[in-house]
Amino acid sequence: MEYTVQKLARMAGVSTRTLRYYDEIGLLEPARKNSSGYRIYGSKEVDKLQQILFYRELGLDLDSIQKVISNPSFDGPAALRMPREKLLARRRQLDLLITNVEYTISAAEGKSTMADNEKFKGFKQKLIDDNEQQYGEEVRGKYGDATIDKSNAKMLNMREEKYEEFKSLEKEVLSKLAEACETGDPSSELAQKTAALHKEWLSFTWPTYSKEAHAGLAQMYVDDERFAAYYDKACEGGAKFLRDAILVYTGMEQENSFE
Amino acid sequence: MEYTVQKLARMAGVSTRTLRYYDEIGLLEPARKNSSGYRIYGSKEVDKLQQILFYRELGLDLDSIQKVISNPSFDGPAALRMPREKLLARRRQLDLLITNVEYTISAAEGKSTMADNEKFKGFKQKLIDDNEQQYGEEVRGKYGDATIDKSNAKMLNMREEKYEEFKSLEKEVLSKLAEACETGDPSSELAQKTAALHKEWLSFTWPTYSKEAHAGLAQMYVDDERFAAYYDKACEGGAKFLRDAILVYTGMEQENSFE
DNA sequence: ATTACACCTTTACGCTGCGTCAAGGTCAAG
DNA sequence: CTTGACCTTGACGCAGCGTAAAGGTGTAAT
C-alpha cells in the first residue's frame, strides 16, 4: 500500500504539516519521492507513524520518541509494552482526577469542605505515578507485592496497619452488600448497615464526610461500568442497590442526585 | 489561608513561572500584593487554580479556559460537570488506545495482520468521541438510547442488526461462562465452548483472528480490574477461568503468555 | 487542448506556554 | 550583619506545529 501525505494524514488523523515536519526533523521520512518530488509512504512508515503517535500520546517530546524508536534494542512488540504500561498508569491518574471532580462537585454543592491541598490530588499524583511506573516493576520483582502495598499505603498517606484495615473493610462492604441484596429492600436494616460500613470505608480516603458527596459517589458507582461491575459482583444489580441504600442512608433519595 | 507563589506552586504541582505567567495574562491574579510586591494568594485563588488545572488537563488552551471560567453563567459546581464528562470521554479513548496496543502487540508477535487504517483506532476515535461529547447528550435527550446504539454501531462500523447480534453474543458468553465455571475445569467441553463463543464475539471487533492475540486479550482480562470485574460477575474467578479456558483453546497454555 | 480543481512542493513567519537565565530586592535565622 | 532561601521584573529561547505565500502537478471534464 502506498500513500501520499494527505492520504496518510487523513488515515492517522494528523495534519499534512505534521508529516512534513516529521520529515524535516528526520523523525519519519517517506519511503521515497516520486518524479515530481511528492512524498510517498509505504506500510513500514505507517507502522512507524503509529508508534510515534503512541508515544506522542504519552507526552513524550519528538526528540525522545526518535531516541526510543531508533534504539537498536527497539524491537517493536516489546517496545509497545512500555506505552501500554504508561497508558494504564495514565488511566489510573484519570480515575483519580475523576474522583476528584466528583468530590469537588459534592463539596461545592454540599456543605462539606475540602482542604486546600486535597484539591490538587490527581494532578500531583501524576508525579507519584510516574515514579511508580519507573520503579514499580523493579520493586515488584525484587520485593514482592507486600512492598507494593506498603508503597500504596504511603501514597494514600496511611500506615500499613491502617491500609490493612482499609482493605478488609472493603471486603466487608462487599459481603454485607451481598447479604443485604437478598432482602431486596434498600431501606432494610441490613442495607442501612451496609451503607454505614461504606461510609466508614470512605472515611479512609476522604478528608471530610458529607451526605452529598456520599450520595454523589453512589450514583457514580452506577454510571461507571467499572465500579458497577465491582459492586455487581456482590449480587445482581448490586451497584444500584448500594446506591439506593446510600440514598436512603443519607436522606438524599431522589432529590439532588446527579440528574 | 494565604500562600506565596512558591507555596501555592508546590501545593498544586506547577512551577512558579506558570503562576507568574497566569498573572501576566490575567488568568489568575493574586488576591493582593504585599508591601514589597510579593504575590499573595487566598483560598478563592486556590479554587480558581484548581479549576484551571482541570481544564488544562483536558487540553484546553489558556484562552479558552479564561472564557469558560469568566463566563457569567459559570457557577462552579455546574461548570465542573463538563470536565467530568470530558474526563470520562478521555478515559474511554484511553481504553481504546490500550486495546489497540494490546492488539498491535499480538499482531506483531503472532502471525495476524492489521489493516493499515485499523492501526489508528483510538487516535482518530478522539474526534468521534469529541463529537459524541458535544452532541451526545442532546441526541440522547431527544431520541433516546436507541439512537445512541445506532451511533455506536456506526462507530464500530456495524449495521444495527449486527450490533444487536454483537450485544446478545456478549451476554451469551457471560452465561456460558457461568455454567462452565461450575465444572471447575478450563479444559472441559463447556469451558472450550465458552472460549469458542468468545472468539466468535471477538470477530465482531477484530479485523483478523490470531491465537496469540486471543490469548493476550485473555490475560488482559485478568490484569485489568475493569475487565476482571466484568467477567467475575459470571462467577468467582471468572476472568481467570476464562483466561485458562482460552489458553487451552488456543493451545498457548503457559508459553507465550504475557509474563 | 485547455481549463478547473484538488492535490503537491518549499520557504518562512507566528503562536502558545512556559523554561531559563540575569540582575536585583526581601526576610528570617543565626 | 551576613547567609541563604525566598521574591520581583525583563528578556530570550524553544517545541510543535498553524498558516499563508508562491508556485508546480495530475486528472477529469469540458
Side-chain angles (χ1 to χ4, degrees):
Chain A
M1 244 334 195
E2 301 213 314
Y3 303 95
T4 59
V5 260
Q6 194 156 151
K7 281 182 183 166
L8 180 56
R10 279 200 183 132
M11 188 170 64
V14 300
S15 75
T16 60
R17 176 66 174 96
T18 298
L19 290 182
R20 266 184 237 108
Y21 181 66
Y22 288 176
D23 182 10
E24 191 182 328
I25 63 172
L27 179 59
L28 179 70
E29 286 162 13
R32 59 184 182 87
K33 290 195 172 193
N34 77 0
S35 56
S36 25
Y38 285 27
R39 270 164 266 255
I40 308 290
Y41 297 88
S43 52
K44 250 177 68 181
E45 286 71 33
V46 172
D47 287 353
K48 195 169 173 186
L49 178 56
Q50 187 200 18
Q51 304 250 12
I52 290 170
L53 293 185
F54 274 135
Y55 286 105
R56 194 182 66 166
E57 197 67 21
L58 303 177
L60 269 89
D61 57 300
L62 303 183
D63 218 52
S64 311
I65 295 178
Q66 191 147 20
K67 275 173 196 154
V68 171
I69 66 181
S70 71
N71 192 314
S73 71
F74 173 86
D75 76 341
L80 274 169
R81 287 230 169 71
M82 207 188 86
R84 189 186 102 99
E85 293 300 327
K86 282 263 183 191
L87 286 169
L88 289 172
R90 277 254 303 242
R91 198 171 62 185
R92 262 178 280 139
Q93 192 221 339
L94 254 184
D95 290 341
L96 244 170
L97 258 174
I98 291 169
T99 310
N100 192 345
V101 173
E102 298 288 343
Y103 186 68
T104 305
I105 290 177
S106 329
E109 286 181 339
K111 274 101 221 159
S112 86
T113 52
M114 222 172 155
D116 277 352
N117 61 343
E118 287 291 332
K119 291 174 183 166
F120 297 99
K121 260 191 181 170
F123 293 124
K124 286 199 302 180
Q125 207 67 29
K126 191 189 298 193
L127 306 175
I128 301 181
D129 257 23
D130 281 357
N131 262 345
E132 234 278 328
Q133 219 27 67
Q134 278 187 24
Y135 306 111
E137 269 183 78
E138 301 172 28
V139 176
R140 210 175 296 271
K142 277 186 192 159
Y143 311 105
D145 284 346
T147 312
I148 295 296
D149 281 353
K150 242 188 232 178
S151 156
N152 283 340
K154 233 184 202 167
M155 240 172 60
L156 292 169
N157 291 322
M158 285 183 205
R159 261 166 310 143
E160 247 183 293
E161 3 163 342
K162 266 232 163 188
Y163 185 73
E164 287 309 321
E165 209 182 320
F166 173 67
K167 280 298 200 184
S168 86
L169 195 51
E170 198 174 333
K171 278 186 188 168
E172 215 179 316
V173 170
L174 263 189
S175 69
K176 263 279 183 293
L177 176 61
E179 281 181 53
C181 251
E182 286 174 14
T183 73
D185 176 16
S187 59
S188 69
E189 203 181 330
L190 256 171
Q192 290 306 298
K193 257 192 186 161
T194 307
L197 267 179
H198 185 259
K199 170 188 170 177
E200 210 180 309
W201 175 77
L202 254 193
S203 72
F204 277 90
T205 47
W206 280 15
T208 60
Y209 177 80
S210 90
K211 289 174 178 184
E212 291 81 0
H214 194 181
L217 188 73
Q219 179 59 38
M220 183 183 145
Y221 284 171
V222 175
D223 292 341
D224 190 305
E225 350 147 3
R226 227 174 124 170
F227 290 101
Y230 178 74
Y231 287 104
D232 284 355
K233 262 199 308 190
C235 64
E236 188 80 25
K240 284 191 184 176
F241 186 83
L242 179 58
R243 177 199 56 187
D244 293 337
I246 289 175
L247 286 181
V248 172
Y249 181 78
T250 58
M252 312 275 301
E253 321 261 344
Q254 306 304 17
E255 33 163 24
N256 268 6
S257 76
F258 292 88
E259 45 268 12
Chain B
M1 239 346 194
E2 302 211 312
Y3 302 94
T4 59
V5 257
Q6 194 157 149
K7 281 181 184 166
L8 179 57
R10 280 198 184 134
M11 188 169 63
V14 300
S15 74
T16 60
R17 177 68 175 95
T18 298
L19 291 182
R20 263 182 243 111
Y21 181 65
Y22 288 176
D23 182 11
E24 190 182 328
I25 63 173
L27 179 58
L28 178 69
E29 287 162 10
R32 60 186 180 85
K33 290 198 172 190
N34 77 0
S35 56
S36 20
Y38 284 27
R39 271 164 265 254
I40 309 290
Y41 298 87
S43 53
K44 255 178 64 183
E45 286 72 32
V46 172
D47 288 352
K48 196 170 173 185
L49 178 56
Q50 188 200 16
Q51 304 251 10
I52 291 171
L53 294 184
F54 273 135
Y55 287 105
R56 193 183 67 167
E57 198 66 22
L58 302 177
L60 268 88
D61 58 301
L62 302 184
D63 218 52
S64 311
I65 294 179
Q66 191 148 20
K67 276 174 195 151
V68 171
I69 65 180
S70 69
N71 193 313
S73 70
F74 172 86
D75 77 340
L80 273 170
R81 287 231 170 68
M82 208 187 87
R84 191 186 100 99
E85 292 301 326
K86 283 264 183 186
L87 285 169
L88 289 172
R90 274 255 303 242
R91 196 170 62 184
R92 262 178 280 139
Q93 190 220 338
L94 253 184
D95 290 342
L96 244 169
L97 258 174
I98 291 169
T99 310
N100 192 345
V101 173
E102 298 288 343
Y103 187 68
T104 305
I105 289 177
S106 328
E109 287 182 335
K111 275 100 219 162
S112 86
T113 53
M114 221 173 153
D116 277 353
N117 59 344
E118 288 290 333
K119 291 175 184 167
F120 297 97
K121 261 194 183 165
F123 295 123
K124 286 199 303 180
Q125 207 68 27
K126 193 188 299 194
L127 306 175
I128 301 181
D129 257 22
D130 283 355
N131 262 345
E132 234 275 329
Q133 220 27 68
Q134 279 187 23
Y135 306 112
E137 269 182 80
E138 301 170 31
V139 176
R140 209 176 295 270
K142 275 185 191 159
Y143 311 105
D145 284 347
T147 313
I148 296 297
D149 280 355
K150 240 187 233 175
S151 156
N152 283 340
K154 231 183 202 166
M155 239 172 60
L156 291 169
N157 292 322
M158 286 184 203
R159 262 165 310 145
E160 248 182 294
E161 6 165 338
K162 267 230 163 189
Y163 185 73
E164 288 308 321
E165 208 181 320
F166 173 66
K167 281 295 200 183
S168 85
L169 194 51
E170 197 173 336
K171 280 185 189 168
E172 214 178 316
V173 169
L174 262 190
S175 69
K176 263 281 185 292
L177 176 60
E179 281 181 55
C181 251
E182 285 174 15
T183 72
D185 176 16
S187 60
S188 70
E189 202 180 330
L190 256 171
Q192 290 306 298
K193 257 192 185 161
T194 307
L197 267 179
H198 185 258
K199 169 186 172 178
E200 209 179 310
W201 174 77
L202 253 193
S203 73
F204 278 89
T205 46
W206 280 13
T208 60
Y209 177 80
S210 89
K211 288 176 180 182
E212 290 81 2
H214 194 181
L217 189 72
Q219 180 58 39
M220 182 183 146
Y221 284 169
V222 175
D223 292 341
D224 191 306
E225 354 148 0
R226 234 175 121 168
F227 289 101
Y230 178 75
Y231 286 106
D232 283 355
K233 263 199 307 192
C235 65
E236 188 78 25
K240 284 190 184 176
F241 186 85
L242 179 59
R243 176 200 56 187
D244 293 337
I246 290 174
L247 285 181
V248 172
Y249 180 79
T250 57
M252 311 274 303
E253 320 262 344
Q254 308 304 19
E255 35 163 21
N256 268 5
S257 74
F258 290 88
E259 43 270 13

